[in-house]
Structure formats: C-alpha cells, structure tokens
C-alpha cells in the first residue's frame, strides 16, 4: 500500500517514474504487487571515494533496481534487458 501511495503522489506531482532498490537476494513481492518491474542490477561497491572519505554503514552488496512508470507500457530498453539471478519460487 505504501509503494502504491508513493507512486500515485509522485505521478500526481509530474514525475514519470519511481525508482527503488532491493538487495539482490530479496524477491520483491511487494514491489511486484505495486506494479514495479526489475530493470537492472548493480555490482555493489563502497561509498568511500578518493576525494570523499565515508564509512560503509549500509549494505555494499549487489542490488536490483526496480522501476514503475506512469504509463502502463514499460519503455522498450527495459522490456527484455533484465534476467533475475534466480527464478521466482512459489511456496505450495
């Protein structure tokens, strides 16, 4: 419900898409239910850079980027680009 509300508010204020991330091992059921689609994965990495020293307080592992677009049609560049790291398992 929160994802749906956030999207409705964003679209009402003129945004074309909403983006969020999950850790790679998370299934993302609530995101799928809210209409989000996995579109990319990251390799992860440190927050620390040469010119900007930072401590890693959050997860630095790989993540999945999820997007929900205002239009119901996902842009063509994202329709076939993402392959999940493992198939979705449904408990019986």
């Amino acid at each position: 419900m929160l994802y749906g509300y956030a999207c409705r508010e964003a679209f009402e204020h003129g945004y074309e898409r909403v983006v969020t991330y999950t850790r790679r091992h998370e299934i993302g059921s609530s995101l799928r239910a809210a209409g989000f689609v996995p579109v990319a994965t990251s390799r992860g990495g440190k927050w620390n850079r040469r010119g900007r020293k930072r401590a890693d307080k959050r997860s630095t592992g790989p993540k999945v980027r999820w997007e929900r677009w205002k239009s119901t049609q996902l842009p063509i560049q994202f329709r076939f680009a993402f392959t999940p790291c493992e198939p979705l398992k449904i408990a019986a």
Side-chain angles (χ1 to χ4, degrees):
M1 290 180 2
L2 183 59
Y3 286 120
Y5 176 75
C7 289
R8 283 190 302 277
E9 285 295 313
F11 298 152
E12 228 173 74
H13 286 85
Y15 290 90
E16 292 294 317
R17 69 180 175 152
V18 177
V19 178
T20 189
Y21 291 83
T22 60
R23 293 182 181 128
R24 192 173 210 167
H25 68 275
E26 296 174 336
I27 297 172
S29 301
S30 58
L31 291 168
R32 289 181 198 279
F36 281 81
V37 177
V39 296
T41 57
S42 74
R43 295 180 306 221
K46 305 280 184 186
W47 287 94
N48 194 23
R49 296 291 181 258
R50 206 174 322 128
R52 182 192 66 209
K53 304 290 183 194
R54 292 194 179 167
D56 295 324
K57 297 177 184 173
R58 304 280 189 260
S59 171
T60 58
K63 301 206 176 31
V64 177
R65 185 174 77 219
W66 298 77
E67 295 184 3
R68 179 174 166 185
W69 290 77
K70 187 173 184 175
S71 67
T72 57
Q73 186 72 11
L74 191 65
I76 190 72
Q77 67 266 33
F78 295 130
R79 286 190 204 154
F80 307 105
F82 180 79
T83 53
C85 54
E86 55 184 72
L88 181 63
K89 296 175 186 163
I90 300 174

